[in-house]
Amino acid sequence: MAYKDFRDFLSTLEKEGQLLTISDEVKPEPDIAAATKAMSKMGAETPAMLFDNIYGYTDAKVAMNVMGSWPNHALMMGLPKNTPLKDQFFEFARRYDQFPMEVKREETAPFHEVEITEDINLFEILPLFRLNQGDGGFYLDKGCVISRDVEDPENFGKQNVGIYRMQVKGKDRIGIQPVPQHDIAIHLRQAEERGENLPVVIALGNEPAITTAAATPLLYDQSEYEMAGAIQGEPYRIVKAKDSDLDIPWGAEVVLEGELLAGEREFEGPFGEFTGHYSGGRSMPVIKINRVYHRKNPIFEHLYIGMPWTETDYMVGINTSVPLYQQLKEAFPNEIVAVNAMYTHGLVAIVSTKRRYGGFAKAVGMRAMTTPHGLGYCKMVIVVDEDVDPFNLPQVMWALSTKLHPKHDTVIIPDLSVLALDPGSSPAGITHKMILDATTPLAPETRGHYSQPLDSPLDVDKWEQRLRELLK
Amino acid sequence: MHTCPRCESKEATVVAKSPVEGAWEVYMCPVCIFTWRSIEPETITNPEKYNRAFKVNPDDIPSAENVPALPARYIK
Ligand SMILES: [Zn+2]
């Protein structure tokens, strides 16, 4: 089911009625970001958008909201577009278990069509535009950034493909935000300690399996390419860079090759972030671009980010929930049912679990906070019973309203780590965390009156099936 | 040279012109690295109308926090 390249995925979206082409003239600002934000407000089933008539440009094409809905996420996995969210979660978890899928190497790629090595001007090559009004410039925020471990360069698994925010800061200069928790920050640190620049490649306009893998909190030595292969169910195609040993997604529309400059930091930001707040201006590393390739008439992909929900939240929803689910299952294989860590990248997580004995659910909540992702997120973990669907918020709210006793079921743990972008953390990167135990008390707990849970009329399941048939 | 709406330095330069001649220009400030397009709303392009909460004082730039921190060999 693999998509050959970005265009292949766009044409599938079009066939499925999930791509809206906007051929009326739009201005780069504020129209593209405004239209995309407006689309995000229209629900969880919105189409991608392709802008092909942008004021001042002759042939620029910009694709937005490409994975900004559950139908588009389902199509990314080659599933029917109406696949329910919970089914997408379990199918993703199943494919996650197929990791690693070996890669397929190619000699040439479509992006070799046009190559630029002199007088590079990113402002002319890419149709750049501002996303949010307070942004300090024009950003790239859906590109795959590739780098290798400097001390173990042969290790394919330690090669990293990640998505980082990048500000275009000059004709051949790009600022990047590698916070210390990011894998690329480990590579940069290794290179800087040696006094060397770090080779990097930025691939723009990719088919969605690699974007999904790049946005998944994999372990440091797990290959995103081998995960993209697992997600799409066949080997992922890659091609070598020309200036380094880095591997590039074969289907990219635009590729920028360059190096992170050792010892250099430069003013960057602010940028409207997924937390719904701007990050302030800070000094960040700089990438010098030495080589650009692109397909003829490239389609430029971009991502609107801001107050949730936007495309980001669909893009990192299931692929954040699944690693937490797998890691919790390692600890509690017989109990964990499902994990929904889709809220602001998992700052809030909901875990559905069976309980062995009273107090068990609180341990599950604490374990969520000590997973690799939980260390930077999981500020609030809501734990619910096995019969509550964590993806169904009305059910979660029912559990909170009826099962939680504030005196017994609210646990606050002081001064844990969280990502510094959490605007509530103080100092940045430190926060109290909370477990809300909305499971039914179990012996030796004796409180509450839970012996008469409401059942359904007989044959509801039978009727549900029958009605589905009738409504087809 | 153009005035940067954000830090008000006078050193901003043109970094791109629209492929369709005369539609717009893009400017960049070398002091605070702000980038803007000539046809953006005045709240972006005009130093007087630029959102005060997002103004940058050039004197504060050298003391901005390094993310990530620099290894010891680069610390002066
Ligand atoms: Zn400035």
Side-chain angles (χ1 to χ4, degrees), chain A residues 298-405:
Chain A
I299 305 172
F300 184 68
E301 188 192 16
H302 210 316
L303 175 143
Y304 174 79
I305 187 167
M307 180 70 82
W309 274 50
T310 68
E311 179 179 357
T312 317
D313 300 285
Y314 297 96
M315 202 172 96
V316 301
I318 289 177
N319 63 357
T320 300
S321 302
V322 166
L324 268 168
Y325 167 70
Q326 306 288 36
Q327 289 152 17
L328 280 169
K329 275 210 311 181
E330 279 171 25
F332 308 115
N334 299 314
E335 287 80 18
I336 302 298
V337 176
V339 176
N340 173 358
M342 301 195 308
Y343 297 97
T344 321
H345 206 174
L347 278 173
V348 173
I350 307 161
V351 183
S352 166
T353 182
K354 298 173 191 160
R355 299 137 300 143
R356 268 187 254 166
Y357 34 74
F360 186 82
K362 296 182 177 72
V364 170
M366 284 188 275
R367 176 64 189 119
M369 290 174 183
T370 58
T371 58
H373 188 72
L375 294 174
Y377 296 82
C378 294
K379 184 164 65 170
M380 184 198 292
V381 181
I382 301 168
V383 191
V384 296
D385 285 329
E386 70 267 30
D387 55 354
V388 173
D389 175 358
F391 296 100
N392 182 327
L393 291 191
Q395 284 188 23
V396 174
M397 295 308 286
W398 166 79
L400 281 171
S401 355
T402 60
K403 304 288 171 95
L404 183 136
H405 188 306

Side-chain angles (χ1 to χ4, degrees), chain B:
Chain B
M1 295 287 184
H2 299 262
T3 302
C4 171
R6 184 165 78 165
C7 77
E8 304 191 15
S9 91
K10 312 269 185 249
E11 298 165 52
T13 55
V14 176
V15 288
K17 291 182 180 209
S18 51
V20 175
E21 211 186 306
W24 42 255
E25 293 180 328
V26 173
Y27 311 107
M28 199 176 92
C29 167
V31 176
C32 75
I33 333 281
F34 186 66
T35 311
W36 75 102
R37 195 182 321 265
S38 55
I39 55 164
E40 288 195 75
E42 272 205 298
T43 49
I44 302 287
T45 59
N46 181 341
E48 314 242 303
K49 296 189 177 166
Y50 194 80
N51 185 340
R52 302 188 71 81
F54 290 92
K55 283 274 188 183
V56 168
N57 181 344
D59 297 340
D60 295 338
I61 293 175
S63 58
E65 185 195 357
N66 285 334
V67 176
L70 281 164
R73 65 184 297 154
Y74 296 101
I75 297 170
K76 285 156 201 152

Side-chain angles (χ1 to χ4, degrees), chain A residues 215-293:
Chain A
T216 303
L218 297 179
L219 300 178
Y220 178 67
D221 60 356
Q222 289 181 322
S223 162
E224 285 79 8
Y225 289 127
E226 291 172 342
M227 183 57 82
I231 293 168
Q232 70 181 14
E234 58 184 87
Y236 197 79
R237 294 215 274 183
I238 53 175
V239 63
K240 276 277 175 241
K242 292 195 180 174
D243 295 332
S244 67
D245 190 36
L246 297 167
D247 298 301
I248 309 173
W250 179 88
E253 291 283 319
V254 182
V255 172
L256 316 176
E257 276 194 56
E259 49 202 331
L260 259 162
L261 302 175
E264 206 155 321
R265 299 288 184 272
E266 185 179 75
F267 197 65
E268 190 266 10
F271 181 61
E273 277 283 0
F274 71 95
T275 60
H277 293 77
Y278 289 96
S279 70
R282 290 171 292 173
S283 281
M284 297 207 188
V286 175
I287 300 169
K288 160 101 167 36
I289 301 299
N290 302 320
R291 185 188 295 268
V292 177
Y293 333 76

Side-chain angles (χ1 to χ4, degrees), chain A residues 385 387 398 403 440 449-456:
Chain A
D385 285 329
D387 55 354
W398 166 79
K403 304 288 171 95
T440 313
H449 173 56
Y450 293 110
S451 64
Q452 296 176 328
L454 199 67
D455 43 15
S456 295

